[in-house]
Amino acid sequence: MYTIKEVSKMMGISAYTLRYYEKIGLLEFVHRNEKGIRQFDISDILTLNTIHRLKETGMPLQGIKHYLKLIDEGIDSVSERKKIMQAQQKKVEAQIEKLQKALLTINGKLKYYEEAEKTHSLGVCHDERSEFVQQLINGKLK
C-alpha cells in the first residue's frame, strides 16, 4: 500500500490534485486505513495512470469519469470505449496539426532572424516571403 505522498511523487501529480480527483468521484476506489489516511494499491495506481494519461490527451475530467465507469462495465462497454478513444484520437491529431503549423512559423522566424543577424539587415529571405504571400493569396495556407 502507498500513501498519497508516495503516489504523488511516483506519478508526478500533486497531492492536492489527487484529493480533488477523489472529491469529484474519480478516485472512488481509494481506501482509507483506520486513521483515515488514503491508501493506494497497485490497481489504484494503474487506474490513476489511466486518468493521468487521458488528462494529458486533453480529455475533460467528466469524460474521464464516464470512461472509468465504462471500464467497470467490462466487455459490454468495449465498443463505446473504442468510440471515445477514436474521438479523442481525432482531437489530438488536430492539436498536433495545429502545433506543427505553429512550429513552421517559429522555424521561419528563426531562419529570418539568423539571416538578418548574418547580414546585419532586415532585408533578407525575400524568396521565402514572396512564396509565403503567394500561398496565402492562393488559399493554400490556413
Side-chain angles (χ1 to χ4, degrees):
M1 298 300 260
Y2 299 90
T3 65
I4 195 168
K5 184 178 179 180
E6 292 168 328
V7 171
S8 173
K9 184 177 180 182
M10 180 189 322
M11 299 293 299
I13 303 171
S14 73
Y16 172 82
T17 298
L18 292 172
R19 287 186 201 98
Y20 177 72
Y21 286 176
E22 183 179 19
K23 180 180 176 181
I24 65 169
L26 276 176
L27 304 181
E28 293 175 341
F29 51 83
V30 175
H31 302 285
R32 292 176 183 255
N33 67 15
E34 62 280 348
K35 295 180 182 178
I37 297 172
R38 292 170 187 85
Q39 294 184 311
F40 297 80
D41 62 22
I42 297 298
S43 175
D44 299 337
I45 292 169
L46 288 171
T47 301
L48 188 55
N49 182 64
T50 298
I51 293 167
H52 183 62
R53 299 295 173 216
L54 290 175
K55 184 79 176 114
E56 286 181 333
T57 72
M59 186 179 286
L61 293 176
Q62 286 304 313
I64 294 171
K65 189 174 181 179
H66 176 67
Y67 185 81
L68 293 177
K69 288 189 186 302
L70 291 173
I71 288 173
D72 288 341
E73 293 177 14
I75 191 69
D76 293 336
S77 68
V78 167
S79 293
E80 188 173 350
R81 284 185 272 158
K82 181 180 175 184
K83 287 177 186 173
I84 290 169
M85 285 297 110
Q86 288 169 331
Q88 199 63 25
Q89 180 184 39
K90 288 179 184 177
K91 289 177 185 177
V92 169
E93 287 171 346
Q95 290 172 336
I96 289 170
E97 185 178 329
K98 187 175 179 180
L99 288 172
Q100 286 173 333
K101 288 178 181 178
L103 187 57
L104 283 173
T105 299
I106 292 168
N107 289 339
K109 292 292 184 188
L110 288 172
K111 181 178 179 184
Y112 174 79
Y113 297 139
E114 287 170 6
E115 291 297 317
E117 283 180 332
K118 281 183 202 173
T119 62
H120 198 67
S121 170
L122 295 177
V124 295
C125 301
H126 294 291
D127 293 342
E128 291 91 343
R129 294 175 88 190
S130 295
E131 182 181 329
F132 173 80
V133 169
Q134 281 304 311
Q135 288 178 352
L136 192 59
I137 291 169
N138 294 331
K140 293 182 181 177
L141 296 177
K142 302 248 187 248

